[in-house]
Amino acid sequence: MRAFAVWLLVLSLGLFWGLGWASPGLKRVEGGVVYGRDGLTLFAQVCPARGAADRAVILVPGGFGPPTADMEKRCRLYAGKGVMALVPHLRGRGKSEGKPTGCLEEAEDLALLARLLTRLGIRYHAYAGYSLGACVALKAAALEGRARGVAFVIGPVDFAEQVEILRRTRPDALARWREVFGGLPEDCPDCYAQQSPLPYAPRLGAPLLILHAGNDPLIPPTQACRLRDVREKAGRRVYQVALTREGEPWTRPLTKGRACLRPTGFGPWEEDHLILFPDLHHAVTPAMEALVERFVLARLR
């Protein structure tokens, strides 16, 4: 009888711990918060807003490494404007456990973080995702359904097309892509189809700001136009603008893939926008950052 009681106690504790991990909380740690998913501990840097704030922006970094110094600057910038800023270390990067999966599990991780923001006193949030982080941000926002807006900054929507470009320009990079994506497109076409944010775009109820570079060597501007087409097909109005890298109106012809843009001028931030910088490579300029900031702060008012 005593042995049975001990066994029952152990079983109860096991169920308690299991349920606790299945419904992870958000724990404050030095410099940020940690939370759990799939048995992994995930970290997000937090830049608290000056004064009491119930609004937050989730700044999603790109690449397969830890967040850069630029993300740190963005984090502090929004905090100084009265908005809590979070920089998630996507799985397998920085202080987060696990292995990178591109734009798959990272999106689920981020959607969970967004759902947990109420425990920090946050009522409203928006996303700004950069490069690969743009894909993660869009998917996460579509999954959790409460975001006030998503800035999709020089992000990809077709990873198989990126591989074809890399074959011609940077074949040395393919080994890393094979590792992260589970092979190349010819090895696992479904792996690449699942990465795309396009199927999630119609589910996003919040405004979408798409910023793209016309001379991006890895993500052609036609990818941004494909995202626009999906949003329009879903019934969204998408305003379209071409700007110089300094943020001035573009007055020259739009050529090659850039010609997919159909300029209309700016609309209200309650609507979608596609803003193309025809003479810019894969980079974020101050003019681009200013647009992201205006959009995010407008959506969090």
Side-chain angles (χ1 to χ4, degrees):
M1 187 71 180
R2 183 176 180 181
F4 177 76
V6 171
W7 175 84
L8 188 62
L9 175 62
V10 170
L11 179 62
S12 299
L13 289 173
L15 287 172
F16 173 79
W17 287 328
L19 288 171
W21 189 252
S23 302
L26 198 66
K27 179 182 177 182
R28 289 183 180 270
V29 296
E30 183 178 357
V33 294
V34 294
Y35 63 107
R37 181 174 174 269
D38 286 349
L40 301 175
T41 298
L42 305 167
F43 174 82
Q45 178 188 358
V46 176
C47 295
R50 293 179 183 172
D54 61 356
R55 288 158 172 74
V57 57
I58 304 174
L59 303 167
V60 192
F64 300 126
T68 64
D70 284 340
M71 295 304 292
E72 172 73 28
K73 292 178 184 176
R74 293 175 186 125
C75 193
R76 295 197 305 267
L77 180 146
Y78 283 100
K81 293 182 178 293
V83 173
M84 177 185 286
L86 298 95
V87 180
H89 289 207
L90 302 180
R91 62 169 56 198
R93 290 101 147 159
K95 298 180 182 179
S96 286
E97 297 176 344
K99 294 182 179 180
T101 67
C103 192
L104 291 178
E105 295 300 329
E106 288 85 344
E108 297 279 1
D109 296 341
L110 194 58
L112 174 58
L113 175 62
R115 295 185 188 108
L116 294 171
L117 288 181
T118 55
R119 304 186 186 186
L120 298 177
I122 299 301
R123 297 175 58 205
Y124 306 111
H125 67 275
Y127 294 83
Y130 297 79
S131 194
L132 178 59
C135 175
V136 176
L138 175 52
K139 277 191 173 184
L143 287 167
E144 50 98 349
R146 296 181 58 195
R148 298 291 296 268
V150 177
F152 189 93
V153 186
I154 53 176
V157 303
D158 188 336
F159 293 89
E161 183 178 36
Q162 287 186 276
V163 168
E164 293 309 310
I165 294 171
L166 286 172
R167 288 189 204 274
R168 302 190 301 268
T169 60
R170 289 186 55 205
D172 57 300
L174 291 178
R176 181 61 166 156
W177 280 60
R178 187 181 286 110
E179 174 189 353
V180 172
F181 293 89
L184 297 180
E186 60 269 24
D187 306 318
C188 185
D190 287 345
C191 297
Y192 282 78
Q194 292 169 6
Q195 295 280 348
S196 176
L198 289 179
Y200 293 78
R203 295 169 54 181
L204 178 68
L208 178 65
L209 170 64
I210 309 165
L211 299 176
H212 207 80
N215 283 334
D216 194 311
L218 189 57
I219 311 172
T222 48
Q223 290 202 18
C225 288
R226 288 169 62 186
L227 180 53
R228 171 206 63 199
D229 293 344
V230 170
R231 292 291 283 175
E232 288 183 333
K233 188 175 180 180
R236 302 290 302 201
R237 170 78 182 270
V238 183
Y239 290 89
Q240 300 171 59
V241 180
L243 301 175
T244 67
R245 65 181 61 207
E246 294 80 19
E248 299 298 324
W250 181 265
T251 57
R252 286 181 281 169
L254 294 169
T255 59
K256 299 183 179 179
R258 310 171 198 88
C260 69
L261 188 80
R262 303 188 298 268
T264 63
F266 282 97
W269 289 126
E270 290 78 16
E271 302 287 351
D272 287 11
H273 282 76
L274 167 55
I275 302 176
L276 181 68
F277 295 77
D279 62 344
L280 189 64
H281 287 70
H282 192 80
V284 179
T285 66
M288 193 180 286
E289 287 282 22
L291 286 167
V292 174
E293 180 185 332
R294 285 171 55 194
F295 171 76
V296 167
L297 294 180
R299 296 306 305 145
L300 291 178
R301 283 193 188 126

